[in-house]
Amino acid sequence: MDLSGGISAKPIVDRAKAIILTPRDEWPVIGAETQSQGDILKGYVLPLAAIGPVAALVGGQVFGFGALGFSYRPSLIGGVSTAIVSFVLGIIGVFVLSLIADFLAPKFGGEANRANAFKLVAYGTTASWLAGVFQLIPMLSVFGLLGLYSIYLFYTGAGPLMKVPSDKAPAFVAVTILCAIVLMLVIAPVTA
């Protein structure tokens, strides 16, 4: 599938599999692709970013949420509203975090490149988005911690995409992830 007239992008399942299983080999391939942010957004980010909110919506309606002997099942309207807000804020988060990564890269010896920063965030977040499926069964949501593998994906992508030297990549990733955590702390109360 050729999205831009340049180097063609992989289908979504092949890309997700490659970025999860062989990130060091996949990042240079991603760096060489020429598709636009809009194409990446439509063909990769939107479908994967929807996994968590849809799984949480279905899981909440079917199983409800519970802890310490108390359970709660949100209304359908409340669940749909939360899923939509969570999805939209997640997409906004991708754009904001890519701007942050683009801003931070030169501070760590890398190059500012807005397109590559967007790729880094879009594809680097794959593990977190895929781990969102565990929200389908609330008792399994602890396995959402597998999404922390995205930190490693960011680390392996910092050099090929943002040209951050390998000795400074851990600090670049740590500061970027810290910004992502702050961003999540801002977003989480809004979705609640």
Side-chain angles (χ1 to χ4, degrees):
M1 163 173 68
D2 189 358
L3 299 174
S4 64
I7 297 173
S8 64
K10 288 184 177 181
I12 189 169
V13 173
D14 293 339
R15 171 54 47 84
K17 181 179 169 186
I19 198 71
I20 293 292
L21 298 177
T22 57
R24 290 192 185 276
D25 297 333
E26 193 64 15
W27 283 119
V29 173
I30 291 168
E33 292 176 350
T34 58
Q35 75 244 46
S36 69
Q37 287 183 1
D39 290 334
I40 296 169
L41 180 70
K42 289 183 289 188
Y44 195 81
V45 173
L46 293 178
L48 288 182
I51 292 172
V54 170
L57 171 65
V58 172
Q61 293 303 304
V62 173
F63 299 105
F65 301 102
L68 305 172
F70 297 100
S71 66
Y72 167 71
R73 183 168 291 146
S75 69
L76 182 59
I77 300 298
V80 169
S81 300
T82 300
I84 291 170
V85 170
S86 177
F87 176 72
V88 169
L89 291 176
I91 300 304
I92 291 169
V94 169
F95 283 100
V96 171
L97 194 56
S98 69
L99 291 173
I100 291 169
D102 184 52
F103 172 78
L104 290 174
K107 313 279 187 265
F108 291 92
E111 297 175 3
N113 183 324
R114 194 161 288 169
N116 281 350
F118 186 80
K119 290 178 188 179
L120 178 65
V121 173
Y123 295 120
T125 313
T126 300
S128 294
W129 286 329
L130 293 177
V133 76
F134 292 113
Q135 294 182 59
L136 187 60
I137 301 174
M139 293 177 295
L140 297 180
S141 63
V142 70
F143 290 113
L145 291 174
L146 293 172
L148 292 175
Y149 183 66
S150 284
I151 295 170
Y152 177 73
L153 296 179
F154 271 81
Y155 170 74
T156 57
L161 289 171
M162 303 308 295
K163 309 299 184 227
V164 175
S166 59
D167 61 324
K168 295 184 180 180
F172 169 74
V173 171
V175 173
T176 305
I177 297 302
L178 183 62
C179 291
I181 291 169
V182 170
L183 188 61
M184 283 191 322
L185 292 175
V186 171
I187 289 174
V190 175
T191 60

